[in-house]
């Protein structure tokens, strides 16, 4: 195999173009096309609508396209590395190598488990096999993460939306039940459900028509609400004067929330909420408290609403906003619109339950008191959760005049406002006589599911595959030394290592040329039965169709001596003798491919 010209004149020719690894190179080109197609898919689908890529008539799911293309890329890599293994193995055989190493290099190509078997070694074949397995496992999941589905918003368009909400005042018996006065003792069942939804932050379900489920519509919804009118002022404080007992009191209120409603049964009192807040915003022990006084009157207001998938979102109110469309003026004859019943028998009111719910969340008072007979100069006395939720001081400032609070006024008004909006929807739903539907102008922003490409994952997958490509080119190194086309076909390898049955023509012939010479010859894997005297081995030619055990039962006469073949003996294996396999017919005219089976003479110890 190492000479330049063999016995029958077939020359070993180093022909770069004729014997080049064109299959591997073509597969690498196919790999480049497949990965380029993956990149094109990711670029072209980025920000595109899922139902319209590549076209609305024939949409294709990106995960399917990526799976197909990465499968093609992996197939090309498999084809390329197969020829690279072949080139590298024959190059190694040309340089000379141990048989066990050549065997391992063949074995590792077929199964990575060869690394777990005896005789393993770690060379470039093993490295390439490990990388090929890792790439085939990892590149698919990684490339799938290169594209995800997100929501895309289109430019807004003008439209009209019909919403189910009345712009009339809430019913006079809507929110609270006053058992023995004008302050709510219990919530009505309808408003109790509204309040529970508010506390649980459940979506505001607003029935509407004209706003697609996949769209987002912004509009202004008229409805019953509260007109807000707030003023603020400051109140000076000095805790050092307090500690010096120069004042008639021993404490200063540093934070408070007071919500008042229904001082009497007049329509003004039953349609107006009074809110007063006070807080200490700064740490110094001398300064100014900020006090806000707000008057909230029943009114028709405009709610800025966003409808998204059937739920309404209410934009946050800010002090600079004026949402009032008209203040509701109740006359003396309109008491029935504000409350139902009498003080003696219990009353149901329009607003008392809403005020009661808000008071439970926000009514609070926090006073800093001069301490007596304590190690600290001040103590804090507080009631109501808001005194804690709006506290901005660190724990180290507790029981000190440096304690500070945030202003809760805006949050309180937003709570009242959302409760009124939820109540308007609930009152409309439960009142068939209410003016239920309003057709309102809106701005529609269409949203659709769209693809979003994440190129970093494509880069990771591509880097993994390029490592395998590098291994392929390392294995192909030395291909120019091959003088003919080669393969890892078992017959070609057997011929190269001088298997007797395959020695026809030049050993530089390809396996195709070999088959042209002996392709029609019939061979059979099995054992050749031979027998001998003390002299050389003599092949025994069996009759057509005769079984091996029939031959072993015969007496064979060789050189005038008559001897009985021995029965099968398991000790023969230990002496390197392979026993004949019984039950196999030997056919005349066929070649038996395998080892000779030797029969031992038990009497003299010689071979037949």
């Amino acid at each position: 195999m190492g000479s330049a010209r063999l016995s029958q004149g077939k020359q070993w020719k180093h022909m770069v173009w004729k014997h080049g690894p064109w299959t591997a190179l073509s597969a690498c080109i196919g790999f480049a096309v497949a990965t380029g197609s993956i990149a094109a898919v990711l670029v072209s689908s980025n920000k595109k609508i899922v139902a319209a890529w590549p076209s609305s008539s024939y949409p294709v799911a990106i995960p399917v396209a990526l799976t197909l293309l990465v499968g093609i890329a992996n197939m090309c890599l498999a084809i390329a590395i197969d020829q690279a293994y072949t080139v590298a193995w024959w190059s190694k055989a040309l340089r000379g190598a141990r048989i066990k190493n050549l065997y391992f290099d063949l074995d590792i190509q077929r199964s990575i488990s060869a690394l777990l078997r005896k005789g393993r070694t770690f060379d470039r074949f093993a490295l390439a096999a490990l990388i090929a397995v890792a790439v085939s496992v990892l590149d698919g999941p990684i490339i799938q993460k290169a594209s995800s589905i997100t929501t895309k918003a289109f430019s807004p368009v003008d439209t009209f939306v019909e919403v189910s909400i009345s712009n009339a005042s809430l019913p006079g018996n809507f929110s609270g039940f006053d058992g023995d006065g004008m302050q709510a003792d219990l919530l009505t069942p309808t408003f109790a459900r509204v309040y529970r939804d508010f506390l649980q932050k459940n979506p505001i379900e607003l029935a509407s028509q004209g706003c697609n489920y996949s769209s987002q519509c912004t509009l202004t919804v008229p409805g019953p609400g509260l007109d807000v009118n707030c003023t603020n002022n400051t109140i000076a404080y000095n805790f050092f004067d307090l500690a010096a007992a120069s004042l008639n009191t021993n404490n200063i209120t540093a934070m408070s929330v007071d919500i008042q409603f229904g001082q009497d049964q007049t329509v003004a009192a039953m349609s107006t909420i009074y809110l007063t807040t006070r807080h200490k915003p700064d740490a110094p022990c001398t300064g100014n408290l900020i006090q806000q006084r707000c008057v909230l009157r029943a009114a028709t207001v405009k709610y800025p609403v966003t409808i998204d998938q059937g739920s309404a979102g209410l934009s946050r109110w800010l002090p600079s906003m004026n949402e009032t469309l008209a203040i509701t003026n109740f006359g003396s004859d309109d008491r029935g619109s504000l409350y139902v019943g009498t003080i003696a028998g219990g009353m149901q009111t329009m607003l008392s339950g809403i005020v009661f719910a808000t008071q439970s969340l926000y009514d609070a008072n926090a006073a800093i008191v001069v301490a007596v007979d304590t190690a600290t100069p001040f103590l804090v006395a507080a009631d109501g959760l808001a005194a804690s939720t709006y506290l901005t001081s660190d724990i180290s400032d507790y029981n000190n005049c440096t304690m500070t609070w945030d202003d809760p006024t805006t949050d309180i008004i937003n709570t009242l406002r959302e409760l009124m909006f939820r109540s308007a929807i609930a009152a409309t739903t439960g009142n068939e006589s209410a003016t239920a539907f309003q057709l309102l102008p809106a701005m529609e922003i269409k949203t659709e599911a769209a693809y979003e490409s994440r190129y970093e994952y494509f880069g990771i997958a591509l880097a993994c595959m390029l490592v395998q490509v590098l291994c392929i080119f390392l294995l192909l190194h030395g291909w120019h030394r091959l003088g003919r086309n080669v393969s890892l076909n078992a017959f070609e390898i057997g011929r190269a290592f001088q298997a007797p049955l395959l020695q026809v023509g030049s050993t530089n012939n390809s396996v195709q040329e070999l088959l042209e010479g002996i392709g029609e010859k019939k061979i059979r894997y099995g054992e050749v039965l031979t027998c001998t005297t003390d002299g050389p081995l003599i092949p025994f030619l069996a009759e057509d169709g005769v079984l091996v055990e029939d031959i072993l039962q015969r007496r064979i006469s060789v050189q005038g001596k008559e001897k009985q073949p021995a029965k099968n003996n398991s000790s023969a294996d230990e002496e390197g003798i392979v026993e004949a396999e019984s039950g196999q017919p030997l056919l005349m005219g066929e070649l038996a491919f395998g080892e000779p089976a030797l029969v031992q003479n038990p009497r003299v110890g010689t071979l037949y």
Side-chain angles (χ1 to χ4, degrees), residues 512-585:
Q512 289 79 13
E513 293 171 327
L514 169 66
L515 292 176
E516 290 177 2
I518 62 171
E520 297 300 324
K521 183 179 292 186
K522 296 177 66 177
I523 65 173
R524 177 176 181 175
Y525 179 75
E527 298 175 333
V528 178
L529 178 65
T530 62
C531 56
T532 183
T533 62
D534 295 336
L537 294 174
I538 302 174
F540 183 85
L541 300 179
E543 297 177 5
D544 188 21
V546 176
L547 298 179
V548 173
E549 58 261 32
D550 294 337
I551 299 172
L552 292 176
Q553 294 301 320
R554 293 183 186 179
R555 292 179 178 276
I556 304 172
S557 178
V558 180
Q559 294 183 354
K561 296 182 180 180
E562 187 170 296
K563 300 185 179 183
Q564 176 69 34
K567 295 182 178 180
N568 290 343
N569 191 335
S570 60
S571 65
D573 288 338
E574 299 176 359
E575 299 175 13
I577 299 172
V578 181
E579 297 180 316
E581 182 180 357
S582 64
Q584 301 294 326

Side-chain angles (χ1 to χ4, degrees), residues 32 44 136 148 252 335 344 406 425 433 437 514 564 577:
S44 64
S136 65
S148 60
I252 294 177
R335 288 186 175 90
D406 272 338
I425 297 173
S433 63
F437 288 97
L514 169 66
Q564 176 69 34
I577 299 172

Side-chain angles (χ1 to χ4, degrees), residues 8-22:
Q8 297 192 23
K10 182 74 173 183
Q11 188 175 5
W12 183 266
K13 296 181 180 180
H14 301 292
M15 300 178 68
V16 174
W17 292 105
K18 185 175 181 180
H19 302 315
W22 302 120

